[in-house]
Amino acid sequence: MTAVRVAVGVATERAGRATNEDALHAGGGVYVVADGMGGHEAGELASRTAVEALRVLGRGTPDLARARQVIRAAHARVRALPADDPLRRPGTTATGVVLSEHSGTPCWLVLNVGDSRTYRMAGGVLEQVTQDHSEVAELVASGVVPPQDAARYPRRNVVTRALGGGSETVDPDVFWIPVSPGDRMLVCSDGLTDEVPDSRIEAELKAEPDPQAAADRLVEAALAAGGSDNVTVLVVDAETAAAR
Ligand code: MN
């Protein structure tokens, strides 16, 4: 048996918006970000409801089937929220990692619905581990939009999967990544990734060993870039250690 110790940094800002429709949870082995949408207060309620529902993944050592079950339950809870506008039902993205075990090995259980992102930095190299569920990501994947034009694509914020929203069912991505000592996981909303290129994110994460200071630096970079969307950043550093 091995145990994983983590150190976490958390930062969120509503930036130019009237409210912060992002929500997060970081603790008890669950590190998730949700970015809500919907009229009035619906987006805030949607993201908070989703994060609250996902927290139960911190109990025990969930597997992929359990994660899908909990995500479906979160989807149902967001769908049950009242809608101010019947054409714009409350919805939210959700992504992040849960510390668990697979075949006796400590693993990150990665989950994703929508266009918030989970990255891993290992050996100083940043890699996006989730795939965006967005119109622009699909157009890039099919070759219609060149990757270098994705950041300027006018409908880049249109998501193709969400918790809640208009769809009756949810099709989450869930998968394992083994935990390696020194892993630095980054979980963030599009308020970061729309404003700050991956190369700059990687440089900031390399330059700042303290996870809280790193999270603060990334949010500051998004604001300095003129970010007008809510921005949320979780930095989760892992050390594996032999259990006593
Ligand atoms: Mn956003």
Side-chain angles (χ1 to χ4, degrees):
M1 271 296 282
T2 52
V4 177
R5 268 196 316 234
V6 297
V8 186
V10 174
T12 186
E13 283 288 337
R14 75 186 156 81
R17 298 278 171 92
T19 56
N20 193 343
E21 297 189 324
D22 289 357
L24 66 92
H25 178 75
V30 179
Y31 308 94
V32 291
V33 167
D35 180 348
M37 11 188 175
H40 301 282
E41 290 168 357
E44 270 181 287
L45 205 54
S47 59
R48 285 191 203 152
T49 299
V51 161
E52 192 58 39
L54 293 172
R55 283 177 64 166
V56 301
L57 285 169
R59 295 187 200 137
T61 49
D63 60 11
L64 300 184
R66 172 67 179 151
R68 284 192 199 94
Q69 182 186 51
V70 168
I71 293 166
R72 282 198 299 268
H75 177 66
R77 276 176 62 176
V78 177
R79 292 246 322 152
L81 293 171
D84 302 319
D85 175 352
L87 295 178
R88 206 165 166 243
R89 298 196 54 83
T92 183
T93 72
T95 192
V97 292
V98 178
L99 261 181
S100 192
E101 259 182 43
H102 180 56
S103 306
T105 306
C107 283
W108 303 108
L109 192 167
V110 184
L111 62 92
N112 186 52
V113 179
D115 68 348
S116 297
R117 289 181 181 172
T118 298
Y119 291 80
R120 174 171 60 172
M121 195 170 75
V125 177
L126 185 72
E127 179 198 10
Q128 183 181 339
V129 297
T130 52
Q131 271 186 314
D132 297 349
H133 302 143
S134 66
E135 189 177 284
V136 66
E138 287 177 4
L139 291 171
V140 169
S142 62
V144 175
V145 171
Q148 63 272 19
D149 294 346
R152 294 190 308 275
Y153 180 72
R155 285 163 56 83
R156 65 183 171 278
N157 298 117
V158 175
V159 295
T160 50
R161 301 188 210 175
L163 295 181
S167 176
E168 254 176 64
T169 56
V170 64
D171 179 20
D173 290 337
V174 289
F175 54 94
W176 295 115
I177 300 181
V179 177
S180 300
D183 275 355
R184 170 167 270 193
M185 306 305 290
L186 167 68
V187 185
C188 59
S189 62
D190 64 349
L192 177 68
T193 53
D194 276 356
E195 298 296 341
V196 184
D198 286 6
S199 56
R200 171 81 189 280
I201 294 173
E202 181 183 88
E204 296 290 348
L205 289 173
K206 273 164 89 166
E208 180 49 69
D210 178 73
Q212 182 58 53
D216 289 336
R217 275 170 81 142
L218 290 175
V219 167
E220 279 161 27
L223 297 178
S228 57
D229 191 9
N230 306 146
V231 52
T232 299
V233 173
L234 303 188
V235 176
V236 186
D237 287 342
E239 294 171 23
T240 50
R244 277 178 247 261

